[in-house]
Amino acid sequence: MNTKIVSPEDAIAVIRDNDTVAISGFVGNGAPDELLITLQAAYRAAGRPSGLSLMFGAAAGDGKEEGLNRLADEGLLKRIIGGHFGLAPKLCELAVNGQVEAYNLPLGCVSHLFRDIAAGRPGTISKVGLHTFVDPRNGGGKINDRTVEDIVTLIEIAGEEWLLYKALPVNVALIRATTADPRGNLSMEREALSLDNLAIAMAAKNSGGLVIAQVESIAENRTLNPRQVQIPGTLVDCVVVAKPENHRQTYLVPFSRAYAAEIRVPLDSIPPMPLDERKIIARRAAFELPMNGVVNLGIGCPEGVASVASEEKVLDLVTLTAEPGVVGGIPSGGLNFGTAVNTDAIIQMGEQFDYYDGGGLDMACLGLAECDGAGNVNVSRFGPKLAGAGGFINISQNARKLVLAGTFTAGGLKTEIRDGELKILQEGRQRKFVDAVQQITFSGPYAAERGQPVSYVTERCVFQCTPDGLELTEVAPGIDIRKHILDHMDFKPIVNQPAVMDRRIFLPEPMDLAASLLRFAFARRIDFDVERNTMFINFEALHIKTPEEVEAISNELESRFQKIGKKVPVVVNYDAFKVDDDAVDAYFEMVRNLQKRYYAKVARYTTSAFMRVKLGDALDSRATAPHVFETEQEARAFHDSMAPFDW
């Protein structure tokens, strides 16, 4: 064929009864709607194709009729395997009512499964899902009694438990891009996300299947920049040009140049949140942000953390991400969830989950729907309502620090913030802190076993996950522990001496969060070993950008040294340390002053030869002892052998 461009009807005609169809899309964006509309019409007209098995990551939909909701006609589907169902209620109904076989798997595992199918592997091996409802010991991700095949199995490798997610052949892939040439090469310059389109196409092609792509325009052969081609024509069998109304960027936005990374949005154009319970929750969660760290924000209350970070001007101090591949910038919410403005990069979803699953997230802030006394959380299923796990299991299980954020009760909760205190005007109808969650999407005991720090942040209090269960650690000003907390829980948490939540959270003006985060973050990097009489300062991966950050660090160090009350030996870790030009002079002036006033002797180390030279030169030029070593062992040996300075 000279061209792969065909009509939607001719493309859909290649799908046979009982095929397994993999479809791209994420929540409110990226769905190949022209193809879905045509598939629905073909089935309604002729009853074919029927009995399809459907595979997807996060079911694209508007919560009503669009997206994958179009495929819920009786008989069209026989099996559903998906990560998130929340915006496809018609698919949820089929699954919950037992009209089809149905599985809910972690979104990241579905994403990796496409890639492993493409590579001809037997499946995806992962620890993600252990001790949750996906674990075969807890149901194996099966949604109803009609679903009997085990596609998740528990295996052991080198004495450790893992889960194997079974690979299934993909007969047809329905994907989406922006531009195609007649040879089928696809670029995605106007899409908000890259998603799993490439992996899905490869999975179908290497299963002996077909790949159908929806685009909005056609380019002449060999005019697409090969570096912009994300899916090569060798993987594509048919190309369909969509009507504009069936190729919207999201279900809320036909096209945004900001979502396509064509322009950057002024941060002052983002309005601050009103001071209500959602902002209280977002503000308290924002106090957990790790400086220079990588963060994932979930949907719902966690979305507010980005707004608070923007208002407090700390966005430059953290990197916010979203699971479909967004790195940096400000993530969007609602039906635009998954997109972002002012991004640093947009990568494929499977690659994002590689980073997440490997422990790349310094912190995640996710939603809190239902929690029990052991710290287990359910966000995936509530009786007949099926939301699905989405990326929650991957993210919550693997983040170095987890914050679960949501209101204390649901359904009609009314609050008022007055004079720096929280008032409960009307309690919510549904309790969130219950005897037993309906489904374990996150295992508190498993987190405690692994030493993962987990906080549960509500508008009126904060809990921590401990090996003995949930402990109440903070209470909002104006809140009575018995009346407003314990009386609205099905279990009694551990209560010792909870602190009062920071009052700045309950005042209308900005909180000066940047200074607090810098101080808190750096305070964790300082350790005085009383037995060795030595101060250890950890600058590893610290990136100092402004003189104000230098001042915050200086104040914290001065405070710690003054409490010791004498000069002490110091060992400093400079691995992956960076200081911007604007802050260099202030930083090394701080070092000179601290060394003169508080150091008895000092040894510094970094594995970077370049950094050793730069540090040595900078210290030497300021008449400051430039002892910089390659390893901690060398620094400690020098420290132990070196006589104190005689100032």
Side-chain angles (χ1 to χ4, degrees):
M1 295 177 64
N2 293 325
T3 180
K4 295 181 178 180
I5 303 164
V6 300
S7 70
E9 293 75 17
D10 286 345
I12 292 302
V14 305
I15 303 177
R16 300 162 297 177
D17 292 349
N18 301 310
D19 272 351
T20 295
V21 182
I23 303 183
S24 66
F26 182 89
V27 185
N29 58 78
D33 280 311
E34 189 77 46
L35 301 178
L36 298 177
I37 291 168
T38 307
L39 175 55
Q40 181 188 48
Y43 179 73
R44 288 181 173 181
R48 299 187 61 192
S50 65
L52 301 180
S53 293
L54 187 64
M55 289 185 66
F56 56 85
D62 64 346
K64 299 174 185 176
E65 302 289 335
E66 300 201 66
L68 295 192
N69 289 293
R70 297 183 181 280
L71 304 187
D73 287 5
E74 185 177 355
L76 176 56
L77 302 177
K78 70 175 180 182
R79 174 186 272 195
I80 301 172
I81 301 172
H84 187 265
F85 289 74
L87 290 171
K90 292 193 173 185
L91 288 187
C92 296
E93 187 175 351
L94 292 179
V96 170
N97 292 342
Q99 295 172 263
V100 295
E101 299 173 35
Y103 301 84
N104 180 205
L105 306 182
L107 174 58
C109 296
V110 176
S111 182
H112 289 156
L113 193 55
F114 288 134
R115 195 170 62 191
D116 288 330
I117 293 169
R121 301 187 182 102
T124 295
I125 297 174
S126 177
K127 286 185 177 292
V128 172
L130 285 171
H131 305 289
T132 72
F133 73 90
V134 182
D135 191 313
R137 293 166 292 193
N138 297 326
K142 298 169 186 171
I143 294 175
N144 57 45
D145 293 338
R146 178 172 177 170
T147 308
V148 295
E149 182 183 355
D150 295 322
I151 65 171
V152 185
T153 55
L154 183 70
I155 63 175
E156 184 177 299
I157 301 176
E160 294 187 3
E161 291 183 339
W162 296 79
L163 296 180
L164 172 64
Y165 295 84
K166 180 181 177 181
L168 305 165
V170 174
N171 305 117
V172 179
L174 303 183
I175 62 173
R176 164 173 158 158
T178 299
T179 307
D181 67 18
R183 298 162 62 91
N185 295 302
L186 307 177
S187 63
M188 304 182 70
E189 63 272 13
R190 284 168 56 89
E191 306 300 313
L193 300 165
S194 299
L195 300 176
D196 285 325
N197 286 284
L198 178 59
I200 291 172
M202 286 184 173
K205 205 65 179 174
N206 284 354
S207 296
L210 299 169
V211 178
I212 305 172
Q214 169 181 317
V215 299
E216 65 177 47
S217 60
I218 301 296
E220 181 58 66
N221 268 330
R222 296 186 172 86
T223 59
L224 293 178
N225 184 330
R227 289 193 175 274
Q228 291 185 337
V229 171
Q230 295 204 20
I231 303 169
T234 52
L235 299 178
V236 178
D237 296 286
C238 305
V239 174
V240 170
V241 180
K243 299 180 181 70
E245 62 269 23
N246 296 332
H247 200 95
R248 289 166 291 171
Q249 201 174 45
T250 80
Y251 286 123
L252 287 181
V253 179
F255 177 71
S256 164
R257 295 181 64 197
Y259 289 163
E262 292 182 359
I263 60 172
R264 296 182 71 83
V265 176
L267 293 183
D268 57 11
S269 68
I270 302 172
M273 299 173 67
L275 187 60
D276 57 13
E277 65 272 7
R278 293 176 68 87
K279 186 167 186 176
I280 296 302
I281 294 167
R283 278 181 153 187
R284 176 58 187 86
F287 272 95
E288 301 296 325
L289 289 170
M291 291 300 85
N292 302 310
V294 180
V295 177
N296 173 275
L297 299 179
I299 200 165
C301 281
E303 296 170 16
V305 176
S307 176
V308 169
S310 175
E311 181 183 359
E312 296 285 342
K313 297 180 170 50
V314 298
L315 280 175
D316 286 343
L317 302 179
V318 295
T319 299
L320 303 180
T321 67
E323 55 264 40
V326 166
V327 180
I330 306 173
S332 305
L335 284 177
N336 292 331
F337 180 72
T339 66
V341 300
N342 299 359
T343 54
D344 296 326
I346 299 173
I347 63 177
Q348 294 182 42
M349 186 153 64
E351 294 168 342
Q352 187 82 300
F353 277 110
D354 284 335
Y355 186 67
Y356 285 2
D357 289 357
L361 281 173
D362 296 289
M363 171 187 150
C365 182
L366 303 177
L368 173 61
E370 191 178 59
C371 179
D372 65 23
N376 297 314
V377 171
N378 169 33
V379 298
S380 47
R381 184 167 182 179
F382 307 91
K385 183 178 179 182
L386 173 66
F392 191 98
I393 299 178
N394 299 82
I395 297 163
S396 64
Q397 189 173 312
N398 293 303
R400 295 174 190 169
K401 177 170 68 173
L402 177 62
V403 177
L404 297 158
T407 56
F408 189 81
T409 59
L413 174 66
K414 294 181 181 178
T415 65
E416 181 184 16
I417 296 93
R418 185 171 66 243
D419 300 327
E421 292 188 345
L422 177 67
K423 310 294 181 184
I424 307 298
L425 304 180
Q426 177 178 298
E427 197 58 76
R429 295 182 297 275
Q430 289 90 40
R431 291 188 176 190
K432 288 189 173 183
F433 292 89
V434 296
D435 280 330
V437 296
Q438 297 176 56
Q439 190 171 73
I440 298 176
T441 327
F442 171 78
S443 171
Y446 188 43
E449 177 188 324
R450 294 179 293 118
Q452 182 186 28
V454 184
S455 302
Y456 305 74
V457 175
T458 76
E459 78 286 348
R460 70 188 72 179
C461 61
V462 178
F463 298 96
Q464 296 288 334
C465 185
T466 77
D468 298 320
L470 239 59
E471 179 178 357
L472 179 66
T473 56
E474 296 179 36
V475 177
I479 291 298
D480 179 272
I481 293 177
R482 169 58 60 187
K483 178 181 178 182
H484 298 123
I485 299 175
L486 301 183
D487 286 351
H488 300 281
M489 303 177 71
D490 288 350
F491 62 89
K492 189 178 187 303
I494 301 167
V495 182
N496 291 318
Q497 292 182 317
V500 177
M501 291 170 69
D502 195 313
R503 287 186 179 271
R504 290 176 293 171
I505 296 171
F506 302 88
L507 297 173
E509 60 267 18
M511 302 183 296
D512 194 19
L513 182 62
S516 295
L517 291 180
L518 288 166
R519 185 173 70 252
F520 294 157
F522 191 71
R524 300 187 185 104
R525 293 174 173 266
I526 307 169
D527 181 39
F528 180 61
D529 189 325
V530 176
E531 186 175 328
R532 298 192 63 190
N533 190 40
T534 300
M535 179 72 85
F536 292 92
I537 303 174
N538 180 18
F539 279 145
E540 183 175 2
L542 183 66
H543 182 185
I544 300 175
K545 301 177 181 179
T546 66
E548 289 76 21
E549 293 178 47
V550 174
E551 183 179 3
I553 291 169
S554 178
N555 291 341
E556 185 64 32
L557 282 169
E558 290 244 8
S559 174
R560 296 292 288 272
F561 280 118
Q562 287 170 5
K563 288 178 182 177
I564 296 170
K566 61 180 180 180
K567 286 187 176 182
V568 295
V570 177
V571 176
V572 189
N573 176 4
Y574 274 106
D575 267 346
F577 172 78
K578 183 179 180 182
V579 56
D580 286 356
D581 291 344
D582 290 344
V584 164
D585 289 339
Y587 176 77
F588 284 105
E589 182 62 22
M590 175 195 75
V591 171
R592 189 184 71 82
N593 289 334
L594 290 172
Q595 183 162 314
K596 183 175 181 179
R597 297 173 62 189
Y598 301 112
Y599 295 5
K601 55 184 179 179
V602 63
R604 305 171 175 92
Y605 66 93
T606 173
T607 54
S608 167
F610 176 77
M611 179 59 70
R612 289 198 297 275
V613 172
K614 295 291 288 183
L615 279 173
D617 289 348
L619 294 167
D620 191 47
S621 68
R622 291 165 175 82
T624 303
H627 303 298
V628 186
F629 299 91
E630 182 175 0
T631 67
E632 180 180 359
Q633 291 74 22
E634 290 175 340
R636 288 188 181 224
F638 176 79
H639 159 274
D640 292 341
S641 65
M642 183 180 171
F645 297 137
D646 182 11
W647 293 105

